[in-house]
Amino acid sequence: MSGRQFGQFVSLRPQLPRATRLLRRSFTAGANRSNSSRWASSAAIAAVSISGLVYAMTSQKPVKFDARSLAELDERTKREKGIDESSPMRLRMEQFIREQQKAIVFELEKLDGKSFREDTWTREKGGGGISCVLQEGNVFEKAGVNISVVYGTLPKPAIAKMRVNHKNLAEADEVDFYALGLSMVLHPYNPMAPTVHLNYRYFETMRPDGTSQAWWFGGGSDLTPSYLFDEDAVHFHKTLKDTCDKHNKEYYPKFKKWCDEYFCNTHRGEARGIGGIFFDDLDESVADADNTFAFIQDCLKSFLPSYLPIMERRKDMPFTAKEKEWQQVRRGRYVEFNLVHDRGTAFGLSVPGSRVESILMSLPLTASWRYMYEPEPRSREQRLVEVLKNPKDWV
């Protein structure tokens, strides 16, 4: 199991040895934002990470914590000290993605006019998540904005594979880890409006005393239209490029290429969509933690300005039954990638006790597979296929 696989796994629910507690509520687009403290309090149930340097007061040797006690220690630290710029990176990242989940859901509810359902789940050994899902809305046929926090232990074979990309990861029989991420997929009704996917995540391993050993960030965002509008592709990619260029001008071309290569239905010889950016394993060999975190923050904050203007232009456009049929075919290709090629989905479904509903949140509500279906020559549908077979530079 590679570091990249674990990066993908943060969007999935961890193994649950017992039944979990499930809390449900709905967001409302007009909700009073002063409720944020109450929301954060309930969200903290799902938070797990390790903070502080904890040593025995009566011994020179560090205390050995297991995953559950480390999670409890971190919860206490957050309650008693709060989170600021001096807090461990894992706590700062967790606080940030919780804030962004609220902001994104709020704006999407304003766009759609209907509320998301929220499911908050917890894990006995520490961890959990918040799944916000909207089905059969006015604009979105299905939309999900999920947070997952995983706290557990890596076995020796997993450590050996992860050391290929992370030499600073200690050789040991087992290593405790902390992982979290925000994952989102939006499937609009209108075939003129594109599907979008986003995921930003953080992974950290710990020493026996609970201090940080190795860390890295991963993530990206990509667009999957059924009908290609060049101005939309340019806008989406330019927003991402401008964000990347603020930090490193090598980021966008490198991460754009990585995205084109990863999100590819190799069995059909075509990309899933028109790309965006994708990256993994950003650690101290690339930049220090604070600078990388600043990059992640800017990327996630760029989502709404990259996507909402496109939706405002496309969500109410007229379309025909034939164009809706083409959207269903393209969604079938989306499903193929997620179930056949996506490493995070495959890994999550292989873990006993995983929360399948959260894992499969990315799948559309409807899709179709038509035997030997081919678009007409020189049609808009055919042009999309040509671009998917030969990814192009949009900016």
Side-chain angles (χ1 to χ4, degrees):
M1 188 161 36
S2 68
R4 195 168 301 156
Q5 284 174 307
F6 267 93
Q8 293 292 323
F9 178 56
V10 298
S11 66
L12 311 176
R13 186 177 188 174
Q15 182 174 345
L16 303 178
R18 296 183 182 175
T20 58
R21 179 164 60 89
L22 189 63
L23 306 177
R24 295 176 182 171
R25 62 179 288 274
S26 292
F27 283 98
T28 55
N32 190 328
R33 299 307 288 270
S34 66
N35 289 331
S36 61
S37 61
R38 183 180 65 182
W39 188 96
S41 176
S42 62
I45 298 173
V48 286
S49 60
I50 306 166
S51 67
L53 299 175
V54 182
Y55 290 92
M57 301 302 293
T58 59
S59 172
Q60 296 300 313
K61 295 183 178 180
V63 176
K64 173 67 174 73
F65 294 99
D66 60 22
R68 182 170 181 173
S69 61
L70 287 169
E72 291 171 348
L73 171 65
D74 201 55
E75 286 298 315
R76 187 175 69 234
T77 300
K78 288 187 290 184
R79 288 194 305 268
E80 296 176 356
K81 298 182 179 180
I83 302 172
D84 56 30
E85 291 185 358
S86 65
S87 300
M89 181 56 67
R90 55 189 168 271
L91 297 185
R92 295 165 62 190
M93 177 67 171
E94 182 183 328
Q95 181 185 57
F96 172 67
I97 65 171
R98 291 187 186 281
E99 293 169 350
Q100 289 303 298
Q101 183 188 41
K102 290 177 61 180
I104 291 171
V105 167
F106 182 80
E107 293 299 328
L108 295 179
E109 285 184 335
K110 288 201 302 183
L111 181 69
D112 189 276
K114 289 191 176 182
S115 298
F116 279 71
R117 162 180 167 167
E118 180 190 303
D119 292 341
T120 299
W121 49 271
T122 59
R123 182 173 179 246
E124 181 187 8
K125 291 186 177 180
I130 303 172
S131 297
C132 299
V133 179
L134 172 65
Q135 288 190 155
E136 299 178 322
N138 297 312
V139 173
F140 297 106
E141 186 173 281
K142 187 177 180 184
V145 187
N146 294 354
I147 285 177
S148 292
V149 178
V150 179
Y151 207 109
T153 302
L154 295 175
K156 189 171 184 177
I159 297 170
K161 291 182 179 181
M162 296 178 80
R163 277 180 51 78
V164 173
N165 294 318
H166 302 280
K167 300 301 184 185
N168 58 344
L169 186 59
E171 293 186 73
D173 291 334
E174 61 179 34
V175 173
D176 288 331
F177 75 90
Y178 167 88
L180 80 159
L182 185 151
S183 182
M184 177 185 65
V185 179
L186 310 178
H187 294 290
Y189 270 116
N190 196 312
M192 302 300 156
T195 287
V196 69
H197 160 260
L198 172 150
N199 176 275
Y200 288 100
R201 54 195 178 270
Y202 177 75
F203 190 93
E204 182 177 284
T205 62
M206 280 79 67
R207 298 182 181 89
D209 63 3
T211 59
S212 177
Q213 180 193 57
W215 58 267
W216 56 90
F217 291 89
S221 180
D222 58 282
L223 200 67
T224 304
S226 297
Y227 285 90
L228 182 58
F229 294 88
D230 284 21
E231 63 178 311
D232 295 349
V234 170
H235 171 78
F236 187 79
H237 277 268
K238 186 177 186 303
T239 304
L240 290 173
K241 183 179 185 300
D242 289 346
T243 301
C244 290
D245 286 353
K246 287 173 55 180
H247 297 268
N248 189 321
K249 291 187 181 299
E250 295 181 359
Y251 279 175
Y252 175 76
K254 178 180 179 180
F255 299 158
K256 194 267 186 188
K257 182 176 184 293
W258 201 340
C259 184
D260 290 338
E261 293 173 350
Y262 179 77
F263 292 105
C264 181
N265 270 326
T266 54
H267 62 284
R268 292 191 180 271
E270 63 182 35
R272 186 177 74 175
I274 60 168
I277 59 172
F278 175 83
F279 55 88
D280 206 356
D281 300 325
L282 295 193
D283 58 16
E284 68 273 10
S285 67
V286 178
D288 63 68
D290 283 329
N291 280 315
T292 306
F293 181 45
F295 171 60
I296 295 293
Q297 289 177 298
D298 285 345
C299 284
L300 187 47
K301 288 179 180 178
S302 76
F303 166 70
L304 291 172
S306 75
Y307 187 66
L308 290 186
I310 296 174
M311 287 302 299
E312 293 289 356
R313 289 194 293 265
R314 308 303 171 201
K315 66 183 179 66
D316 297 318
M317 289 184 67
F319 60 88
T320 66
K322 184 177 180 181
E323 289 167 338
K324 185 65 178 179
E325 178 183 282
W326 174 247
Q327 181 197 48
Q328 298 301 295
V329 172
R330 294 313 311 173
R331 283 184 175 174
R333 304 294 172 86
Y334 197 96
V335 171
E336 288 176 23
F337 174 83
N338 284 28
L339 296 184
V340 176
H341 299 295
D342 187 66
R343 294 188 293 269
T345 302
F347 176 73
L349 293 176
S350 71
V351 176
S354 291
R355 190 167 193 252
V356 176
E357 293 299 320
S358 292
I359 297 170
L360 299 183
M361 175 275 295
S362 63
L363 301 183
L365 197 60
T366 60
S368 68
W369 286 263
R370 293 182 175 272
Y371 181 70
M372 299 298 289
Y373 188 92
E374 294 290 341
E376 296 178 3
R378 295 183 294 279
S379 64
R380 294 181 65 195
E381 294 83 359
Q382 178 60 37
R383 180 174 181 251
L384 174 69
V385 173
E386 291 173 356
V387 171
L388 298 180
K389 290 181 178 294
N390 302 281
K392 61 181 295 184
D393 294 327
W394 294 101
V395 292

